[in-house]
Amino acid sequence: MTATDEELPLVGVERPSILSFSQVRLDLQKKAPVCRIRTPAGDEAWLVTRHAEVKELLQDNRLARYHPDPANAPRFLRNPMLDMLVTNTDVETERKVHEEKRALYTKSFAARRVLDRKSRVEVIAHAKIDEIIAAGQPADLHEMFSTVYSQNALCDMIGIPEDAREELLTQMDRVGAVDREHAEGGMESVFAFAAEVGRRRRDDPGDDVITRFVESGLTDDEIGMHVVVLLFTGLAGLVSHLDFGVLLFLLNPEQRELALDDPEIMARAVDEVMRATIGSPVLPRYTSEDMEVGGVTIPSGDLVMLDFSLANFDDRVYESPERFDVTRTPNPHFTFGHGMRHCTGAPLVRIIMAVGFTALFSRLPELSLAVPQSELESRAGGKLAGGLERFPIRW
């Protein structure tokens, strides 16, 4: 029997409270590893809720961005930035393109290259903390640190000149909005502006990602596309994990002290923040043929959402998953993906977060919330920078 619209649970992008799942998602995970849902776009989809099944699908090339009719493919959200991730390129070609892109990105985000730039990231972090102190308290950590620190650290690594960052990020935030009225019509100008950034770097090379794109023979338009994708996929997660990581440390002071006392534990703490930060189901993928998973058959062309956050809290894998534990090991979270779908930018994200947490709590050891926790609200889904709407702090 086919479920009616009313019977399908709606799984959206909003969270009812900070650092907690909606009851709908919890009920779905308890019910089954794969559940039929309705998306905020009004389409039907499959939500994968448990660790074993998420891992299985991340290793299955039959789940891809491919759809035979991209314009009419089911969507999680109606949004031009997400729409561009859907392709009618056949699965085998998409796989080859993905492998080539991974090889290209790995050259730039290898752990050694990222470590070589750690001192630059530290300078950026401390400069932003200087600005917070100079402005006086209370301050909004989201706006004055998590957002601008993430933007500058990522843009510096990519090679986006300082005088181009604000305009590029503003344009991307506009087209990345959930409200389609503000999103349509801006994609062409975003890619054109990013391509111009690539052209400028061609004339003024440096030790950065865009320069390595140039050396790899990419055109300015190709560079612009990669720059937009890197920023779009990187910034929201970085800002969100910095916001929620600081909040988790504030709520668990003994865990904070453990991490600050030992760089190795801080490295583990970053992964625990990645695991414990609750986000929406990830970017859409489609079945290229009928697939059997979690006891159900998913027909070809159906939308599949992998819920990394639910999988990261699966008590079949994690002992006391609700506990924030900076010494947790192993920690096989999916926030960076898995296997061939593992994020190539993970080394950079880990450095940015570890440096950010260490700098903040070292410089501002009395850092605390300036409002009751109950007043904190998550930012609406679809914005370029995730995290909290406001994060008022004192020190």
Side-chain angles (χ1 to χ4, degrees):
M1 181 182 72
T2 302
T4 65
D5 291 356
E6 290 74 25
E7 291 172 335
L8 287 177
L10 174 65
V11 175
V13 295
E14 302 287 351
R15 293 193 294 279
S17 60
I18 301 300
L19 298 175
S20 65
F21 289 100
S22 69
Q23 192 60 47
V24 171
R25 288 167 76 183
L26 291 173
D27 290 345
L28 288 171
Q29 186 182 53
K30 183 177 180 180
K31 176 183 177 182
V34 181
C35 300
R36 196 72 165 152
I37 65 165
R38 186 158 300 283
T39 71
D43 294 329
E44 295 185 15
W46 299 91
L47 185 73
V48 186
T49 66
R50 298 179 187 172
H51 196 278
E53 286 73 21
V54 169
K55 183 177 181 179
E56 176 185 345
L57 288 175
L58 283 172
Q59 299 174 109
D60 196 324
N61 288 326
R62 295 175 298 171
L63 191 69
R65 293 166 50 209
Y66 165 80
H67 193 279
D69 184 10
N72 295 301
R75 297 289 200 270
F76 184 63
L77 296 171
R78 302 286 174 182
N79 176 269
M81 276 293 225
L82 295 176
D83 289 350
M84 75 178 188
L85 298 174
V86 185
T87 176
N88 59 1
T89 303
D90 67 85
V91 174
E92 183 59 25
T93 300
E94 184 194 336
R95 182 186 64 78
K96 292 179 179 177
V97 170
H98 176 72
E99 290 175 353
E100 291 171 357
K101 185 174 74 172
R102 282 187 63 83
L104 181 66
Y105 288 3
T106 298
K107 292 179 182 178
S108 296
F109 294 113
R112 178 185 56 80
R113 285 191 182 276
V114 171
L115 283 172
D116 287 345
R117 297 176 69 91
K118 181 180 178 182
S119 60
R120 293 174 65 94
V121 176
E122 290 173 334
V123 168
I124 294 169
H126 285 284
K128 298 309 169 187
I129 295 170
D130 288 343
E131 293 174 6
I132 290 174
I133 294 172
Q137 52 186 315
D140 183 354
L141 191 77
H142 173 83
E143 289 295 333
M144 297 193 69
F145 187 77
S146 298
T147 300
V148 292
Y149 166 56
S150 297
Q151 290 173 348
N152 281 279
L154 188 55
C155 286
D156 183 75
M157 182 74 179
I158 292 174
I160 301 170
E162 290 188 24
D163 62 359
R165 293 174 187 175
E166 183 176 357
E167 176 60 26
L168 178 57
L169 293 168
T170 297
Q171 288 194 32
M172 288 186 61
D173 201 30
R174 187 160 53 242
V175 300
V178 171
D179 182 354
R180 197 171 185 89
E181 178 184 348
H182 294 92
E184 290 179 336
M187 291 298 295
E188 186 175 333
S189 63
V190 167
F191 283 113
F193 191 90
E196 174 60 19
V197 170
R199 187 201 64 75
R200 287 177 57 184
R201 211 64 184 149
R202 191 181 299 276
D203 298 333
D204 183 24
D207 178 21
D208 52 60
V209 174
I210 293 178
T211 298
R212 285 185 279 279
F213 285 167
V214 171
E215 294 168 350
S216 297
L218 298 186
T219 66
D220 292 343
D221 287 342
E222 290 171 333
I223 290 171
M225 182 273 293
H226 284 294
V227 166
V228 171
V229 168
L230 286 171
L231 288 172
F232 178 64
T233 57
L235 271 179
L238 261 175
V239 175
S240 183
H241 286 103
L242 281 166
D243 272 359
F244 288 117
V246 171
L247 181 58
L248 284 164
F249 279 128
L250 290 177
L251 297 176
N252 299 274
E254 75 291 345
Q255 298 295 309
R256 180 179 71 237
E257 295 308 312
L258 284 173
L260 288 174
D261 288 345
D262 187 336
E264 290 188 10
I265 295 181
M266 176 59 81
R268 292 184 195 172
V270 166
D271 275 293
E272 180 67 347
V273 168
M274 301 296 288
R275 183 196 70 84
T277 297
I278 297 172
S280 301
V282 300
L283 301 177
R285 294 294 183 265
Y286 301 93
T287 48
S288 59
E289 59 183 77
D290 290 359
M291 295 178 61
E292 184 81 20
V293 60
V296 302
T297 299
I298 303 179
S300 176
D302 274 16
L303 172 62
V304 178
M305 306 300 300
L306 305 181
D307 197 324
F308 287 179
S309 287
L310 275 176
N312 288 343
F313 276 73
D314 191 342
D315 60 12
R316 298 161 188 81
V317 175
Y318 296 97
E319 181 180 353
S320 302
E322 72 287 347
R323 186 179 72 245
F324 180 64
D325 180 3
V326 298
T327 66
R328 188 184 296 276
T329 183
N331 192 347
H333 67 81
F334 290 126
T335 310
F336 286 129
H338 178 72
M340 282 299 292
R341 292 189 173 99
H342 187 269
C343 175
T344 53
L348 177 61
V349 172
R350 286 190 168 102
I351 287 292
I352 291 174
M353 290 176 62
V355 166
F357 296 143
T358 302
L360 265 176
F361 287 109
S362 297
R363 296 279 305 278
L364 306 173
E366 301 301 318
L367 183 67
S368 63
L369 282 171
V371 297
Q373 183 188 341
S374 59
E375 293 185 14
L376 300 179
E377 295 181 354
S378 300
R379 283 172 65 80
K383 295 182 179 179
L384 187 58
L388 298 169
E389 284 289 354
R390 293 175 58 253
F391 195 166
I393 57 163
R394 295 186 179 276
W395 56 92

